[in-house]
Short mmCIF file of all heavy atoms in Angstrom, two decimals:
data_model
loop_
_atom_site.label_atom_id
_atom_site.label_comp_id
_atom_site.label_asym_id
_atom_site.label_seq_id
_atom_site.Cartn_x
_atom_site.Cartn_y
_atom_site.Cartn_z
N MET A 13 20.87 -17.03 15.74
CA MET A 13 21.15 -15.70 15.23
C MET A 13 19.79 -14.86 15.20
O MET A 13 18.87 -15.41 14.91
CB MET A 13 21.73 -15.73 13.88
CG MET A 13 22.19 -14.37 13.25
SD MET A 13 22.82 -14.47 11.77
CE MET A 13 24.27 -13.54 11.99
N GLU A 14 19.92 -13.74 15.51
CA GLU A 14 18.79 -12.68 15.65
C GLU A 14 18.23 -12.38 14.14
O GLU A 14 19.10 -12.32 13.38
CB GLU A 14 19.16 -11.40 16.35
CG GLU A 14 18.03 -10.44 16.51
CD GLU A 14 18.39 -9.33 17.44
OE1 GLU A 14 19.37 -8.58 16.91
OE2 GLU A 14 17.76 -9.02 18.33
N ASP A 15 16.89 -12.24 14.02
CA ASP A 15 16.35 -11.88 12.76
C ASP A 15 16.87 -10.62 12.34
O ASP A 15 16.96 -9.66 13.09
CB ASP A 15 14.84 -11.77 12.98
CG ASP A 15 14.16 -11.48 11.69
OD1 ASP A 15 14.22 -10.25 11.25
OD2 ASP A 15 13.46 -12.30 11.26
N ILE A 16 17.27 -10.52 11.03
CA ILE A 16 18.01 -9.35 10.48
C ILE A 16 17.13 -8.01 10.56
O ILE A 16 17.61 -7.09 10.86
CB ILE A 16 18.47 -9.56 9.17
CG1 ILE A 16 19.45 -8.46 8.61
CG2 ILE A 16 17.33 -9.79 8.07
CD1 ILE A 16 20.67 -8.33 9.28
N LYS A 17 15.82 -8.24 10.48
CA LYS A 17 14.81 -7.18 10.56
C LYS A 17 14.76 -6.50 11.88
O LYS A 17 14.91 -5.27 12.16
CB LYS A 17 13.49 -7.50 10.05
CG LYS A 17 13.33 -7.85 8.63
CD LYS A 17 11.95 -8.26 8.28
CE LYS A 17 11.49 -9.49 8.93
NZ LYS A 17 10.26 -10.12 8.50
N ILE A 18 14.97 -7.40 12.95
CA ILE A 18 15.02 -7.03 14.31
C ILE A 18 16.35 -6.28 14.64
O ILE A 18 16.26 -5.12 15.22
CB ILE A 18 14.74 -8.13 15.26
CG1 ILE A 18 13.32 -8.56 15.15
CG2 ILE A 18 14.98 -7.59 16.71
CD1 ILE A 18 13.06 -9.77 15.87
N ALA A 19 17.34 -6.93 14.20
CA ALA A 19 18.71 -6.25 14.31
C ALA A 19 18.87 -4.90 13.50
O ALA A 19 19.40 -3.91 14.16
CB ALA A 19 19.89 -7.15 13.79
N PHE A 20 18.27 -4.86 12.39
CA PHE A 20 18.28 -3.57 11.70
C PHE A 20 17.54 -2.46 12.46
O PHE A 20 18.00 -1.37 12.61
CB PHE A 20 17.66 -3.78 10.27
CG PHE A 20 17.69 -2.56 9.44
CD1 PHE A 20 18.85 -2.20 8.74
CD2 PHE A 20 16.59 -1.54 9.39
CE1 PHE A 20 18.84 -1.07 7.85
CE2 PHE A 20 16.57 -0.45 8.75
CZ PHE A 20 17.82 -0.23 7.95
N GLY A 21 16.33 -2.79 12.96
CA GLY A 21 15.51 -1.87 13.69
C GLY A 21 16.21 -1.34 14.96
O GLY A 21 16.12 -0.27 15.31
N LYS A 22 16.77 -2.27 15.67
CA LYS A 22 17.56 -1.89 16.91
C LYS A 22 18.67 -0.94 16.59
O LYS A 22 18.92 -0.02 17.31
CB LYS A 22 18.21 -3.11 17.53
CG LYS A 22 17.12 -4.04 18.38
CD LYS A 22 17.86 -5.14 19.09
CE LYS A 22 16.96 -5.97 19.80
NZ LYS A 22 17.61 -7.17 20.42
N ARG A 23 19.30 -1.18 15.29
CA ARG A 23 20.41 -0.22 15.12
C ARG A 23 19.96 1.03 14.73
O ARG A 23 20.50 2.10 15.12
CB ARG A 23 21.22 -0.86 13.83
CG ARG A 23 22.36 -0.12 13.47
CD ARG A 23 23.51 -0.16 14.34
NE ARG A 23 24.67 0.42 13.77
CZ ARG A 23 25.57 0.99 14.38
NH1 ARG A 23 25.56 1.29 15.62
NH2 ARG A 23 26.80 1.50 13.81
N VAL A 24 18.68 1.18 13.95
CA VAL A 24 18.08 2.49 13.63
C VAL A 24 17.82 3.15 14.96
O VAL A 24 18.15 4.38 15.13
CB VAL A 24 16.84 2.23 12.82
CG1 VAL A 24 16.16 3.62 12.67
CG2 VAL A 24 17.27 1.71 11.42
N LYS A 25 17.22 2.52 15.87
CA LYS A 25 16.72 2.99 17.12
C LYS A 25 18.02 3.54 17.91
O LYS A 25 17.93 4.68 18.45
CB LYS A 25 15.90 2.17 18.00
CG LYS A 25 15.46 2.72 19.18
CD LYS A 25 14.50 1.75 19.94
CE LYS A 25 13.95 2.57 21.20
NZ LYS A 25 12.99 1.61 21.87
N GLU A 26 19.03 2.77 17.95
CA GLU A 26 20.28 3.12 18.71
C GLU A 26 20.85 4.47 18.14
O GLU A 26 21.12 5.32 18.91
CB GLU A 26 21.28 1.95 18.62
CG GLU A 26 22.60 2.36 19.23
CD GLU A 26 23.75 1.32 18.86
OE1 GLU A 26 23.78 0.95 17.72
OE2 GLU A 26 24.54 1.12 19.84
N LEU A 27 21.05 4.44 16.78
CA LEU A 27 21.57 5.63 16.17
C LEU A 27 20.77 6.89 16.37
O LEU A 27 21.14 7.97 16.54
CB LEU A 27 21.93 5.42 14.81
CG LEU A 27 23.00 4.31 14.52
CD1 LEU A 27 23.02 3.96 13.15
CD2 LEU A 27 24.37 4.85 15.08
N ARG A 28 19.33 6.71 16.27
CA ARG A 28 18.42 7.80 16.32
C ARG A 28 18.56 8.37 17.78
O ARG A 28 18.62 9.65 18.02
CB ARG A 28 17.04 7.27 16.07
CG ARG A 28 15.87 8.34 16.27
CD ARG A 28 14.51 7.83 15.99
NE ARG A 28 14.11 6.79 16.79
CZ ARG A 28 13.68 6.84 18.06
NH1 ARG A 28 13.69 8.06 18.60
NH2 ARG A 28 13.26 5.82 18.78
N LEU A 29 18.58 7.60 18.78
CA LEU A 29 18.70 7.97 20.16
C LEU A 29 20.01 8.77 20.41
O LEU A 29 19.98 9.69 21.16
CB LEU A 29 18.45 6.82 21.20
CG LEU A 29 16.98 6.31 21.18
CD1 LEU A 29 16.98 5.12 22.15
CD2 LEU A 29 16.05 7.29 21.50
N GLN A 30 21.11 8.22 19.85
CA GLN A 30 22.37 8.80 19.93
C GLN A 30 22.25 10.23 19.40
O GLN A 30 22.99 11.15 19.90
CB GLN A 30 23.48 8.11 19.24
CG GLN A 30 23.88 6.91 19.97
CD GLN A 30 24.86 6.01 19.20
OE1 GLN A 30 25.43 6.47 18.19
NE2 GLN A 30 25.21 4.96 19.66
N LYS A 31 21.62 10.45 18.37
CA LYS A 31 21.33 11.73 17.70
C LYS A 31 20.38 12.68 18.43
O LYS A 31 20.18 13.89 18.15
CB LYS A 31 20.94 11.57 16.20
CG LYS A 31 21.89 10.76 15.33
CD LYS A 31 22.92 11.42 14.74
CE LYS A 31 23.63 10.45 13.86
NZ LYS A 31 25.08 11.03 13.65
N GLY A 32 19.58 12.01 19.42
CA GLY A 32 18.57 12.76 20.13
C GLY A 32 17.54 13.25 19.32
O GLY A 32 16.95 14.34 19.60
N ILE A 33 17.04 12.48 18.46
CA ILE A 33 15.78 12.89 17.55
C ILE A 33 14.75 12.00 17.62
O ILE A 33 14.91 10.76 17.96
CB ILE A 33 16.27 13.08 16.06
CG1 ILE A 33 16.72 11.69 15.46
CG2 ILE A 33 17.15 14.24 15.89
CD1 ILE A 33 17.09 11.86 13.93
N SER A 34 13.65 12.26 17.51
CA SER A 34 12.29 11.47 17.59
C SER A 34 12.16 10.58 16.33
O SER A 34 12.72 10.89 15.27
CB SER A 34 11.18 12.38 17.80
OG SER A 34 10.82 13.17 16.60
N GLN A 35 11.27 9.58 16.37
CA GLN A 35 11.05 8.77 15.32
C GLN A 35 10.31 9.67 14.19
O GLN A 35 10.71 9.52 13.10
CB GLN A 35 10.01 7.64 15.72
CG GLN A 35 10.58 6.39 16.28
CD GLN A 35 9.49 5.33 16.30
OE1 GLN A 35 8.38 5.51 16.38
NE2 GLN A 35 10.08 4.15 16.68
N GLU A 36 9.30 10.53 14.63
CA GLU A 36 8.76 11.38 13.76
C GLU A 36 9.78 12.27 12.96
O GLU A 36 9.60 12.44 11.77
CB GLU A 36 7.81 12.32 14.40
CG GLU A 36 6.97 13.00 13.49
CD GLU A 36 5.71 13.78 14.18
OE1 GLU A 36 5.76 13.83 15.39
OE2 GLU A 36 4.95 14.34 13.48
N LYS A 37 10.63 12.88 13.70
CA LYS A 37 11.64 13.69 13.00
C LYS A 37 12.59 13.00 12.02
O LYS A 37 12.79 13.35 10.99
CB LYS A 37 12.63 14.46 14.03
CG LYS A 37 13.58 15.38 13.39
CD LYS A 37 14.23 16.28 14.46
CE LYS A 37 15.23 17.25 13.66
NZ LYS A 37 15.89 18.02 14.54
N LEU A 38 13.01 11.69 12.50
CA LEU A 38 13.81 10.87 11.55
C LEU A 38 12.97 10.53 10.30
O LEU A 38 13.49 10.59 9.20
CB LEU A 38 14.20 9.58 12.26
CG LEU A 38 15.06 8.61 11.50
CD1 LEU A 38 16.25 9.34 10.83
CD2 LEU A 38 15.35 7.39 12.30
N ALA A 39 11.77 10.10 10.45
CA ALA A 39 10.87 9.77 9.33
C ALA A 39 10.77 11.01 8.37
O ALA A 39 10.78 10.74 7.23
CB ALA A 39 9.47 9.34 9.87
N ASN A 40 10.55 12.09 8.89
CA ASN A 40 10.39 13.40 8.09
C ASN A 40 11.77 13.60 7.40
O ASN A 40 11.61 13.89 6.12
CB ASN A 40 10.05 14.61 9.02
CG ASN A 40 8.75 14.63 9.43
OD1 ASN A 40 7.82 14.07 8.85
ND2 ASN A 40 8.46 15.35 10.53
N ILE A 41 12.81 13.53 7.91
CA ILE A 41 14.14 13.83 7.25
C ILE A 41 14.34 12.65 6.22
O ILE A 41 14.74 12.98 5.05
CB ILE A 41 15.37 13.74 8.32
CG1 ILE A 41 15.23 14.90 9.34
CG2 ILE A 41 16.68 13.70 7.61
CD1 ILE A 41 16.21 14.82 10.48
N ALA A 42 13.95 11.36 6.53
CA ALA A 42 14.17 10.27 5.60
C ALA A 42 13.14 10.29 4.48
O ALA A 42 13.24 9.60 3.45
CB ALA A 42 14.10 9.05 6.38
N GLY A 43 12.02 11.05 4.65
CA GLY A 43 10.96 10.98 3.67
C GLY A 43 10.04 9.85 3.65
O GLY A 43 9.60 9.41 2.65
N VAL A 44 9.91 9.23 4.84
CA VAL A 44 9.06 8.09 5.02
C VAL A 44 7.93 8.43 6.01
O VAL A 44 8.16 9.38 6.80
CB VAL A 44 9.78 6.91 5.35
CG1 VAL A 44 10.73 6.43 4.39
CG2 VAL A 44 10.46 6.90 6.77
N ASP A 45 6.98 7.70 6.13
CA ASP A 45 5.80 7.83 7.08
C ASP A 45 6.29 7.42 8.57
O ASP A 45 7.17 6.58 8.68
CB ASP A 45 4.66 7.05 6.76
CG ASP A 45 3.37 7.42 7.62
OD1 ASP A 45 2.78 8.41 7.20
OD2 ASP A 45 3.20 6.67 8.59
N ARG A 46 5.82 8.20 9.49
CA ARG A 46 6.17 7.88 10.93
C ARG A 46 5.79 6.43 11.37
O ARG A 46 6.62 5.80 11.88
CB ARG A 46 5.52 8.95 11.89
CG ARG A 46 5.97 8.69 13.26
CD ARG A 46 4.95 9.31 14.29
NE ARG A 46 3.56 8.96 14.10
CZ ARG A 46 2.95 7.87 14.42
NH1 ARG A 46 3.60 6.98 15.16
NH2 ARG A 46 1.63 7.75 14.19
N THR A 47 4.74 6.07 10.92
CA THR A 47 4.23 4.69 11.27
C THR A 47 5.21 3.69 10.56
O THR A 47 5.46 2.55 11.14
CB THR A 47 2.91 4.34 10.68
OG1 THR A 47 2.77 4.65 9.50
CG2 THR A 47 1.89 5.31 11.65
N TYR A 48 5.78 3.96 9.41
CA TYR A 48 6.58 3.09 8.58
C TYR A 48 7.95 3.02 9.58
O TYR A 48 8.48 1.90 9.83
CB TYR A 48 6.89 3.61 7.32
CG TYR A 48 8.05 2.67 6.49
CD1 TYR A 48 7.58 1.76 5.82
CD2 TYR A 48 9.29 3.18 6.51
CE1 TYR A 48 8.51 0.94 5.09
CE2 TYR A 48 10.21 2.40 5.79
CZ TYR A 48 9.78 1.30 5.13
OH TYR A 48 10.69 0.60 4.31
N MET A 49 8.38 4.08 10.09
CA MET A 49 9.60 4.18 10.88
C MET A 49 9.43 3.32 12.12
O MET A 49 10.35 2.72 12.49
CB MET A 49 9.99 5.61 11.23
CG MET A 49 11.36 5.74 11.87
SD MET A 49 12.77 5.05 10.75
CE MET A 49 12.69 6.29 9.50
N THR A 50 8.21 3.41 12.74
CA THR A 50 8.01 2.64 13.91
C THR A 50 8.09 1.18 13.66
O THR A 50 8.66 0.34 14.34
CB THR A 50 6.49 2.95 14.40
OG1 THR A 50 6.55 4.31 14.77
CG2 THR A 50 6.14 2.14 15.73
N GLN A 51 7.44 0.67 12.46
CA GLN A 51 7.57 -0.59 12.11
C GLN A 51 8.94 -1.09 11.71
O GLN A 51 9.29 -2.22 12.05
CB GLN A 51 6.65 -0.89 10.82
CG GLN A 51 5.16 -0.87 11.14
CD GLN A 51 4.21 -0.78 9.95
OE1 GLN A 51 4.74 -0.62 8.79
NE2 GLN A 51 2.92 -1.13 10.02
N VAL A 52 9.70 -0.11 11.15
CA VAL A 52 11.17 -0.57 11.00
C VAL A 52 11.98 -0.87 12.23
O VAL A 52 12.58 -1.74 12.38
CB VAL A 52 11.86 0.76 10.02
CG1 VAL A 52 13.35 0.39 10.06
CG2 VAL A 52 11.29 0.65 8.66
N GLU A 53 11.76 0.09 13.14
CA GLU A 53 12.38 0.02 14.44
C GLU A 53 12.01 -1.26 15.25
O GLU A 53 12.83 -1.87 16.08
CB GLU A 53 12.26 1.31 15.40
CG GLU A 53 13.20 2.40 14.85
CD GLU A 53 13.21 3.52 15.86
OE1 GLU A 53 12.61 3.37 16.93
OE2 GLU A 53 13.75 4.55 15.55
N ASN A 54 10.71 -1.62 15.02
CA ASN A 54 10.18 -2.80 15.77
C ASN A 54 10.42 -4.05 14.96
O ASN A 54 10.03 -5.16 15.30
CB ASN A 54 8.66 -2.68 15.94
CG ASN A 54 8.33 -1.59 17.07
OD1 ASN A 54 9.16 -1.56 17.91
ND2 ASN A 54 7.37 -0.86 16.88
N GLY A 55 11.20 -4.02 13.73
CA GLY A 55 11.59 -5.18 12.99
C GLY A 55 10.40 -5.89 12.32
O GLY A 55 10.45 -7.02 12.04
N LYS A 56 9.36 -5.05 11.99
CA LYS A 56 8.19 -5.56 11.33
C LYS A 56 8.22 -5.27 9.84
O LYS A 56 7.31 -5.77 9.11
CB LYS A 56 6.99 -4.80 11.92
CG LYS A 56 6.83 -4.92 13.48
CD LYS A 56 5.72 -6.03 13.85
CE LYS A 56 5.57 -5.86 15.35
NZ LYS A 56 5.81 -7.06 16.06
N ARG A 57 9.22 -4.63 9.36
CA ARG A 57 9.32 -4.26 7.93
C ARG A 57 10.57 -4.88 7.30
O ARG A 57 11.75 -4.72 7.88
CB ARG A 57 9.44 -2.84 7.71
CG ARG A 57 8.14 -2.06 7.92
CD ARG A 57 7.16 -2.42 6.64
NE ARG A 57 6.03 -1.49 6.75
CZ ARG A 57 5.37 -1.05 5.68
NH1 ARG A 57 5.80 -1.33 4.44
NH2 ARG A 57 4.19 -0.48 5.76
N ASN A 58 10.40 -5.50 6.16
CA ASN A 58 11.45 -5.87 5.28
C ASN A 58 11.70 -4.75 4.36
O ASN A 58 11.02 -4.74 3.22
CB ASN A 58 11.07 -7.24 4.59
CG ASN A 58 12.35 -7.93 3.95
OD1 ASN A 58 13.42 -7.34 4.20
ND2 ASN A 58 12.00 -8.83 3.11
N ILE A 59 12.50 -3.86 4.62
CA ILE A 59 12.73 -2.69 3.83
C ILE A 59 13.55 -2.71 2.59
O ILE A 59 14.42 -3.57 2.53
CB ILE A 59 13.07 -1.45 4.76
CG1 ILE A 59 14.60 -1.47 5.12
CG2 ILE A 59 12.22 -1.33 5.99
CD1 ILE A 59 15.10 -0.23 5.75
N SER A 60 13.30 -1.88 1.71
CA SER A 60 14.09 -1.80 0.44
C SER A 60 15.51 -1.20 0.67
O SER A 60 15.62 -0.42 1.53
CB SER A 60 13.34 -0.96 -0.66
OG SER A 60 13.24 0.35 -0.18
N ILE A 61 16.31 -1.48 -0.25
CA ILE A 61 17.68 -0.80 -0.12
C ILE A 61 17.58 0.69 -0.31
O ILE A 61 18.30 1.40 0.27
CB ILE A 61 18.65 -1.46 -1.10
CG1 ILE A 61 20.13 -1.06 -0.84
CG2 ILE A 61 18.18 -1.11 -2.61
CD1 ILE A 61 20.59 -1.70 0.48
N GLU A 62 16.50 1.12 -1.05
CA GLU A 62 16.41 2.60 -1.12
C GLU A 62 16.10 3.32 0.21
O GLU A 62 16.57 4.30 0.49
CB GLU A 62 15.25 2.98 -2.28
CG GLU A 62 15.51 2.60 -3.66
CD GLU A 62 15.08 1.27 -4.00
OE1 GLU A 62 14.59 0.40 -3.19
OE2 GLU A 62 15.36 0.84 -5.26
N ASN A 63 15.15 2.50 0.98
CA ASN A 63 14.84 3.17 2.19
C ASN A 63 16.10 3.01 3.22
O ASN A 63 16.19 3.78 4.18
CB ASN A 63 13.59 2.51 2.75
CG ASN A 63 12.36 3.10 2.07
OD1 ASN A 63 12.43 4.11 1.51
ND2 ASN A 63 11.26 2.33 2.10
N VAL A 64 16.86 1.98 3.10
CA VAL A 64 17.98 1.77 3.89
C VAL A 64 18.94 3.20 3.63
O VAL A 64 19.40 3.69 4.59
CB VAL A 64 18.86 0.50 3.58
CG1 VAL A 64 20.23 0.56 4.24
CG2 VAL A 64 17.93 -0.66 3.97
N ARG A 65 19.11 3.36 2.46
CA ARG A 65 19.88 4.58 2.08
C ARG A 65 19.38 5.86 2.57
O ARG A 65 20.06 6.71 3.27
CB ARG A 65 20.05 4.62 0.48
CG ARG A 65 20.86 5.78 0.06
CD ARG A 65 20.98 5.90 -1.41
NE ARG A 65 21.68 7.04 -1.94
CZ ARG A 65 21.01 8.14 -2.28
NH1 ARG A 65 19.83 8.31 -2.30
NH2 ARG A 65 21.81 9.17 -2.71
N LYS A 66 18.04 6.06 2.50
CA LYS A 66 17.24 7.12 3.01
C LYS A 66 17.49 7.32 4.53
O LYS A 66 17.87 8.36 5.03
CB LYS A 66 15.87 7.14 2.73
CG LYS A 66 15.38 7.50 1.34
CD LYS A 66 13.95 7.28 1.18
CE LYS A 66 13.46 7.47 -0.22
NZ LYS A 66 11.97 7.42 -0.29
N ILE A 67 17.35 6.22 5.29
CA ILE A 67 17.52 6.18 6.73
C ILE A 67 19.04 6.52 7.04
O ILE A 67 19.21 7.31 7.98
CB ILE A 67 17.00 4.84 7.35
CG1 ILE A 67 15.55 4.76 7.19
CG2 ILE A 67 17.54 4.81 8.84
CD1 ILE A 67 14.98 3.45 7.56
N CYS A 68 19.86 5.95 6.44
CA CYS A 68 21.25 6.26 6.63
C CYS A 68 21.68 7.69 6.47
O CYS A 68 22.28 8.30 7.26
CB CYS A 68 22.22 5.29 5.75
SG CYS A 68 22.35 3.61 6.45
N ILE A 69 21.10 8.28 5.40
CA ILE A 69 21.30 9.63 5.15
C ILE A 69 20.72 10.51 6.20
O ILE A 69 21.32 11.40 6.67
CB ILE A 69 20.83 10.09 3.66
CG1 ILE A 69 21.67 9.47 2.60
CG2 ILE A 69 20.79 11.61 3.61
CD1 ILE A 69 21.12 9.56 1.28
N ALA A 70 19.51 10.16 6.58
CA ALA A 70 18.80 10.86 7.70
C ALA A 70 19.54 10.83 8.90
O ALA A 70 19.56 11.87 9.72
CB ALA A 70 17.37 10.39 7.78
N LEU A 71 20.23 9.81 9.23
CA LEU A 71 20.95 9.54 10.45
C LEU A 71 22.47 10.09 10.33
O LEU A 71 23.13 10.12 11.26
CB LEU A 71 21.06 8.11 10.89
CG LEU A 71 19.86 7.62 11.35
CD1 LEU A 71 19.88 5.85 11.36
CD2 LEU A 71 19.42 8.12 12.72
N ASN A 72 22.74 10.60 9.18
CA ASN A 72 24.15 11.10 8.83
C ASN A 72 25.21 10.06 9.20
O ASN A 72 26.14 10.35 9.82
CB ASN A 72 24.33 12.36 9.63
CG ASN A 72 25.51 13.29 9.05
OD1 ASN A 72 25.82 13.07 7.84
ND2 ASN A 72 26.25 13.91 9.93
N VAL A 73 24.91 8.79 8.66
CA VAL A 73 25.89 7.72 8.90
C VAL A 73 26.04 7.00 7.63
O VAL A 73 24.98 6.98 6.71
CB VAL A 73 25.40 6.78 9.93
CG1 VAL A 73 24.15 6.04 9.68
CG2 VAL A 73 26.41 5.75 10.37
N SER A 74 27.28 6.53 7.26
CA SER A 74 27.43 5.81 6.05
C SER A 74 26.76 4.45 6.14
O SER A 74 26.65 4.05 7.24
CB SER A 74 28.90 5.71 5.76
OG SER A 74 29.50 4.70 6.59
N ILE A 75 26.50 3.78 4.95
CA ILE A 75 25.87 2.55 5.03
C ILE A 75 26.79 1.61 5.62
O ILE A 75 26.45 0.80 6.45
CB ILE A 75 25.39 2.18 3.56
CG1 ILE A 75 24.24 3.04 3.14
CG2 ILE A 75 25.06 0.65 3.53
CD1 ILE A 75 23.87 2.77 1.74
N SER A 76 28.17 1.68 5.38
CA SER A 76 29.06 0.67 5.83
C SER A 76 29.16 0.90 7.38
O SER A 76 29.25 -0.10 8.17
CB SER A 76 30.47 0.96 5.29
OG SER A 76 31.03 2.11 5.57
N ASP A 77 29.06 2.00 7.95
CA ASP A 77 29.12 2.33 9.41
C ASP A 77 27.81 1.74 10.16
O ASP A 77 27.85 1.32 11.16
CB ASP A 77 29.32 3.80 9.65
CG ASP A 77 30.80 4.11 9.61
OD1 ASP A 77 31.61 3.21 9.55
OD2 ASP A 77 31.07 5.36 9.61
N PHE A 78 26.67 1.94 9.32
CA PHE A 78 25.44 1.37 9.76
C PHE A 78 25.49 -0.07 10.00
O PHE A 78 25.12 -0.60 11.01
CB PHE A 78 24.35 1.76 8.90
CG PHE A 78 22.94 1.37 9.34
CD1 PHE A 78 22.24 2.22 10.24
CD2 PHE A 78 22.51 0.18 9.23
CE1 PHE A 78 21.01 1.79 10.71
CE2 PHE A 78 21.28 -0.41 9.66
CZ PHE A 78 20.53 0.57 10.45
N PHE A 79 26.07 -0.78 8.94
CA PHE A 79 26.13 -2.22 8.94
C PHE A 79 27.43 -2.72 9.68
O PHE A 79 27.99 -3.66 9.16
CB PHE A 79 25.94 -2.78 7.58
CG PHE A 79 24.55 -2.66 7.16
CD1 PHE A 79 24.21 -1.83 6.16
CD2 PHE A 79 23.53 -3.55 7.66
CE1 PHE A 79 22.89 -1.58 5.65
CE2 PHE A 79 22.26 -3.36 7.25
CZ PHE A 79 21.83 -2.45 6.27
N ASP A 80 27.81 -2.14 10.72
CA ASP A 80 29.06 -2.53 11.45
C ASP A 80 28.84 -3.97 11.85
O ASP A 80 27.90 -4.38 12.67
CB ASP A 80 29.23 -1.66 12.71
CG ASP A 80 30.43 -2.06 13.58
OD1 ASP A 80 30.81 -3.21 13.40
OD2 ASP A 80 30.83 -1.20 14.25
N VAL A 81 29.59 -4.91 11.23
CA VAL A 81 29.56 -6.38 11.48
C VAL A 81 29.62 -6.67 12.91
O VAL A 81 28.85 -7.59 13.39
CB VAL A 81 30.66 -7.14 10.67
CG1 VAL A 81 30.70 -8.61 10.94
CG2 VAL A 81 30.53 -6.78 9.19
N ASN A 82 30.48 -6.03 13.78
CA ASN A 82 30.58 -6.36 15.14
C ASN A 82 29.33 -6.17 15.86
O ASN A 82 28.90 -6.88 16.76
CB ASN A 82 31.77 -5.54 15.83
CG ASN A 82 33.06 -6.00 15.28
OD1 ASN A 82 33.34 -7.09 15.15
ND2 ASN A 82 33.90 -5.07 15.02
N TYR A 83 28.57 -4.98 15.50
CA TYR A 83 27.25 -4.69 16.13
C TYR A 83 26.27 -5.81 15.84
O TYR A 83 25.59 -6.38 16.70
CB TYR A 83 26.73 -3.27 15.60
CG TYR A 83 25.35 -3.13 16.26
CD1 TYR A 83 25.22 -2.48 17.39
CD2 TYR A 83 24.23 -3.49 15.53
CE1 TYR A 83 23.96 -2.33 18.00
CE2 TYR A 83 22.97 -3.17 16.08
CZ TYR A 83 22.92 -2.64 17.20
OH TYR A 83 21.56 -2.57 17.77
N LEU A 84 26.21 -6.25 14.54
CA LEU A 84 25.21 -7.16 14.17
C LEU A 84 25.57 -8.56 14.80
O LEU A 84 24.69 -9.36 15.12
CB LEU A 84 25.22 -7.35 12.76
CG LEU A 84 24.51 -6.12 12.06
CD1 LEU A 84 24.71 -6.29 10.46
CD2 LEU A 84 23.17 -5.78 12.50
N LYS A 85 26.77 -8.88 15.10
CA LYS A 85 27.21 -10.07 15.73
C LYS A 85 26.79 -10.24 17.18
O LYS A 85 26.40 -11.13 17.79
CB LYS A 85 28.74 -10.45 15.63
CG LYS A 85 29.13 -10.96 14.19
CD LYS A 85 30.52 -11.22 14.18
CE LYS A 85 31.00 -11.64 12.87
NZ LYS A 85 32.45 -11.82 12.85
N GLU A 86 27.07 -9.00 17.73
CA GLU A 86 26.82 -8.85 19.26
C GLU A 86 25.35 -8.88 19.72
O GLU A 86 25.00 -9.22 20.82
CB GLU A 86 27.56 -7.60 19.78
CG GLU A 86 29.03 -7.71 19.74
CD GLU A 86 29.49 -6.39 20.07
OE1 GLU A 86 28.84 -5.37 20.45
OE2 GLU A 86 30.81 -6.34 19.92
N ASN A 87 24.46 -8.37 18.73
CA ASN A 87 23.08 -8.28 19.16
C ASN A 87 22.05 -9.13 18.47
O ASN A 87 22.29 -9.88 17.69
CB ASN A 87 22.65 -6.74 18.79
CG ASN A 87 23.32 -5.87 19.82
OD1 ASN A 87 23.20 -5.86 20.96
ND2 ASN A 87 24.20 -4.92 19.19
#
């Protein structure tokens, strides 16, 4: 099974690209540093639930949709 941090980062990147926004813009909307967002997308951060919420809000996606079980199983 893939590391959850890597799977989380891939999901952030997938949704960000679907929305057509840069890492910098997503970071600004979420209220986190751009370098932090890079580390999240690269699976280098074990992020807090508060930042999960911020990222979901910034991506305009519910937490339940973000954590689509089928996505996490396939990747």
